[in-house]
Amino acid sequence: MTGGAPGFLRVLAVDDEPPALDELAYHLRADPRVARLHTAADATEALRVLRDDDVDVVFLDIRMPGLDGMELARVLRRFARPPAIVFVTAYDDGAVDAFDVGATDYVRKPVRAERLAESLRRVIGSRVVASHPAALARAEEDPTIPIELAGSTRMLPRSAVRWVEAQGDYARLHTADGSHLVRVSLATLAERWGDAGFVRIHRSFLVQLRLITELRLVNSGYVVLVDAAELPVSRRHTRELKDRLVRAAKQDWSR
């Protein structure tokens, strides 16, 4: 099913619940930047649309029967020219997986026109980046993670994270200007961000190695300084941390 409006973006909206799909389509059709809108009730229908038409962005529900939204997004990532992905869902437990598949945005239901307008702005920005290979390479090196901020979901660049603190099944991401709680375990982030220079210093702390300014021995053991924060280093992580700091320093000297 297709609708038209003056604009330039080709959009596909996918949701298995007709009222939710109708509401999403209504708001998207009302945006002057949308030139063509397709809708699909499941992943199979969505793939049929994508086979026949070029699409710039897919607004995608996550929980659907059959192939769900996250699985469909992984399929789309393998396209030669993959569309941008914006997840539209009533749940927040897919935010980390959305980050893994490179989603441009993560919108919570019920959708609001102004929130979708912001998503379209991000999509346009991501399309501009994709047209410049050097900028695209930088974006791939600095993925984003969805965070809740002021009642909406924002995409936080990994490079903005200074250190991470475990809080049960959640993790608190500390940045230069605040902190953000995300529904992902510290162990998961340690595994996914290890290649980006994040190092586990304690069962409750993950730190960007290059931001450590001091390793200090105190009465209870070692601590590191990151910005103004003094973070504990567990005994089991002390030797590995010292070795990595020494290797990092040698690399800096050899430049």
Side-chain angles (χ1 to χ4, degrees):
M1 183 169 58
T2 309
F8 52 92
L9 284 176
R10 299 159 296 182
V11 180
L12 170 61
V14 187
D15 200 310
D16 65 304
E17 298 180 355
L21 183 58
D22 289 346
E23 181 182 19
L24 179 58
Y26 171 80
H27 289 305
L28 289 170
R29 285 194 181 98
D31 194 294
R33 293 165 295 186
V34 176
R36 188 165 71 246
L37 175 68
H38 300 274
T39 61
D42 55 35
T44 300
E45 188 177 351
L47 289 171
R48 191 177 302 119
V49 170
L50 291 163
R51 179 194 62 196
D52 298 334
D53 292 276
D54 290 331
V55 169
D56 297 306
V57 54
V58 180
F59 284 79
L60 183 58
D61 187 26
I62 293 180
R63 297 193 181 182
M64 299 187 297
L67 193 70
D68 68 21
M70 202 63 66
E71 292 166 332
L72 177 58
R74 293 190 177 98
V75 172
L76 300 184
R77 288 279 289 176
R78 296 197 291 268
F79 280 25
R81 296 178 61 187
I85 301 293
V86 174
F87 287 109
V88 183
T89 177
Y91 307 94
D92 63 2
D93 55 0
V96 174
D97 288 331
F99 146 68
D100 276 348
V101 299
T104 301
D105 206 352
Y106 192 93
V107 178
R108 292 288 300 277
K109 295 179 180 177
V111 296
R112 296 177 289 111
E114 58 270 25
R115 184 66 181 89
L116 289 180
E118 180 180 341
S119 288
L120 289 170
R121 286 195 295 273
R122 295 182 184 184
V123 168
I124 294 167
S126 73
R127 299 290 90 181
V128 170
V129 167
S131 68
H132 296 80
L136 177 59
R138 288 194 297 271
E140 290 175 345
E141 292 170 1
D142 190 17
T144 57
I145 186 168
I147 61 168
E148 293 296 320
L149 185 65
S152 63
T153 304
R154 300 286 189 271
M155 307 302 283
L156 178 73
R158 182 178 61 192
S159 61
V161 179
R162 317 288 286 181
W163 50 281
V164 185
E165 180 181 6
Q167 295 192 347
D169 294 332
Y170 291 73
R172 182 166 293 280
L173 311 179
H174 292 265
T175 66
D177 55 1
S179 67
H180 310 280
L181 194 65
V182 295
R183 191 172 182 176
V184 57
S185 70
L186 190 74
T188 297
L189 289 180
E191 179 181 352
R192 296 177 181 175
W193 289 4
D195 292 341
F198 282 83
V199 58
R200 192 79 173 261
I201 63 168
H202 188 276
R203 63 185 177 86
S204 297
F205 293 96
L206 181 69
V207 174
Q208 175 57 267
L209 185 71
R210 64 180 175 81
L211 298 178
I212 294 176
T213 57
E214 185 177 349
L215 175 65
R216 177 191 302 166
L217 180 63
V218 295
N219 293 335
S220 57
Y222 281 94
V223 298
V224 294
L225 294 184
V226 179
D227 299 330
E230 188 176 273
L231 308 175
V233 180
S234 66
R235 290 181 180 178
R236 67 185 297 259
H237 291 101
T238 299
R239 174 58 64 85
E240 180 185 1
L241 177 61
K242 286 181 177 179
D243 290 344
R244 293 194 60 170
L245 287 170
V246 169
R247 289 199 301 270
K250 287 181 178 179
Q251 289 175 357
D252 288 340
W253 296 336
S254 64
R255 289 175 184 173

